[in-house]
């Protein structure tokens, strides 16, 4: 059992409902009911017809709003060089081993 | 005058009530129905452009209840066409009639595929989608073989 989706309204079509129409250019349209079919025949754009799924998506009605709110911005920590010291020098100082520092201090004391 | 007297009340009723119901057009395919050939054979390409649209002359249908004048044809039925002044057999491959069976689509035009007397299609390709049940029916298998898309 395959659930089709109405080409016009976007609703699900359960078995036993709906109508399939093949147009002259060979394209197949699946309509949920005659309301959808007649609107399509009248050339009404579903994106302007208020009750269709396409309209609601275009005008962002309903559930889409909540999804967008959940995404919050994360602050990215970014480290950079300062005017007196280049980034390489900062890294070198950071990565010094404690024994190396101890040795430096010993030298300084002497 | 007598006749007028009998007519008048009914016509007045008709005007005041205006009640007559109309059925949805049935779109039966029968004699003189105009039809669109969907082959890529030469006859088909010429016949669609000819001064007269291809027309059904006779429906081969094994239904003895129907009288000769009301012989109708539907999806998958064999039919005699008049194309470009010639007579040719064909099979109906898509019709505007709404068929209330599951998974059978309705088409915007009455499509037809040309056949010779043995049942072999004349063209090599069919340019329109074909209903899917053509694959399962044995006598329509030759047409399903040259079809490009199924609906």
């Amino acid at each position: 059992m395959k659930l089709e989706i109405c080409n016009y309204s976007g609703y699900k079509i359960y078995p036993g409902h709906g109508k399939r129409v093949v147009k002259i250019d060979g394209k197949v349209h699946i309509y949920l009911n005659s309301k959808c079919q007649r609107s399509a025949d009248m050339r009404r754009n579903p994106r302007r017809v208020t009750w269709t799924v396409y309209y609601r998506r275009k005008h962002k009605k309903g559930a889409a709003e909540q999804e967008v709110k959940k995404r919050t911005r994360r602050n990215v920590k970014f480290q950079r060089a300062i005017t007196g010291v280049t980034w390489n020098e900062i890294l070198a100082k950071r990565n010094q081993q404690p024994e190396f520092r101890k040795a430096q201090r010993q030298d300084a004391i002497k | 005058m007598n006749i007028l007297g009998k007519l008048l009340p009914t016509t007045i009723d008709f005007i005041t009530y205006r009640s007559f119901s109309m059925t949805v057009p049935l779109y039966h395919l029968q004699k003189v129905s105009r039809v669109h050939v969907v082959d890529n054979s030469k006859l088909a390409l010429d016949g669609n452009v000819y001064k007269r649209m291809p027309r059904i002359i006779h429906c081969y249908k094994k239904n003895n209840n129907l009288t000769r004048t009301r012989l109708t044809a539907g999806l998958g039925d064999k039919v005699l066409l008049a194309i470009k002044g010639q007579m040719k057999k064909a099979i109906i491959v898509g019709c505007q009639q709404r068929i209330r069976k599951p998974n059978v689509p309705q088409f915007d035009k009455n499509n037809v595929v040309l056949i010779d007397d043995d049942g072999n299609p004349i063209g090599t390709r069919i340019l329109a989608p074909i209903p899917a049940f053509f694959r399962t029916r044995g006598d329509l298998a030759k047409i399903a073989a040259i079809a490009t898309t199924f609906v």
Side-chain angles (χ1 to χ4, degrees), chain A residues 85-97:
Chain A
V85 190
T86 60
W87 178 239
N88 286 330
E89 287 180 4
I90 295 175
L91 267 181
K93 287 217 170 171
R94 211 193 270 172
N95 295 337
Q96 275 174 352
Q97 299 294 326

Side-chain angles (χ1 to χ4, degrees), chain B residues 10 24 28 54 62 64 69 91 108 147:
Chain B
T10 51
V24 177
H28 280 307
K62 291 182 182 175
N64 297 317
T69 48
I91 284 191
D108 250 17

